[in-house]
Amino acid sequence: MLVKLSTSALKQTRWYEYGIRFLLGGLATVLAGAVTTGFGVSVGGLFLVLPAIFCASATLIESHERRAKEKAGLSGDRRGQQAAALDAAGAGLGSIGLAAFAAVFYVVVSTTVIGAFVAAILVWAAVSVSAWWLRRKLRITSRTTQTERMGPSARGRGLFP
């Protein structure tokens, strides 16, 4: 699977869905600012780790996929849930990369700010892509192992893809 940019989602998104994303993202930022004011930067920074628009995005992805299946005359509930789950998995893998970014930036920033940003971005990209690749390889290996254990009769009946 290649990682690529797709602009087709922009055409499918309704104007009010952008408003929901903007509003929830803004509220998450205001909440993080209030926590920072009350409890300090260390605690407030933890609240910034939550992607500000993830919750809104997950619900919007689910509704888009469900609507697309319903237009085709099918029940889209399961497809919508799977699409939102895949987005959540990607956010989790990106968060691992974000933790690596923070660690590298913390170590290097005392030497050079620009160098800290460059090093941290490179580490974030490497860790995030490596985590994605590892997850993909583990899923393929797991799926192959399960198929082998089930035997040809189960595969022939279509019980396992």
Side-chain angles (χ1 to χ4, degrees):
M1 168 192 267
L2 293 175
V3 177
K4 60 183 179 177
L5 177 65
S6 173
T7 59
S8 63
L10 296 174
K11 297 173 190 167
Q12 297 172 355
T13 305
R14 297 186 174 126
W15 69 268
Y16 63 86
E17 292 173 334
Y18 287 112
I20 291 170
R21 287 180 181 179
F22 182 78
L23 178 66
L24 290 177
L27 288 174
T29 304
V30 168
L31 174 67
V35 169
T36 300
T37 301
F39 297 99
V41 240
S42 297
V43 176
L46 294 174
F47 282 84
L48 288 175
V49 171
L50 172 69
I53 62 168
F54 172 71
C55 300
S57 295
T59 58
L60 293 174
I61 288 169
E62 187 273 334
S63 67
H64 282 188
E65 291 297 324
R66 186 176 29 81
R67 276 194 306 241
K69 283 290 187 177
E70 287 172 354
K71 279 184 182 178
L74 304 168
S75 172
D77 291 338
R78 182 157 169 79
R79 173 69 179 165
Q81 291 168 356
Q82 288 174 337
L86 185 60
D87 188 55
L93 295 175
S95 296
I96 294 168
L98 183 61
F101 176 99
V104 168
F105 188 85
Y106 178 78
V107 169
V108 180
V109 74
S110 61
T111 308
T112 169
V113 175
I114 300 295
F117 273 114
V118 170
I121 288 170
L122 292 174
V123 167
W124 166 78
V127 168
S128 296
V129 169
S130 297
W132 172 82
W133 180 84
L134 182 63
R135 178 182 180 271
R136 180 179 163 88
K137 289 297 177 189
L138 290 175
R139 285 190 66 211
I140 290 171
T141 303
S142 173
R143 190 176 304 149
T144 303
T145 304
Q146 285 177 343
T147 305
E148 289 169 357
R149 274 191 246 152
M150 293 180 81
S153 61
R155 287 191 301 264
R157 290 193 307 254
L159 298 176
F160 197 81

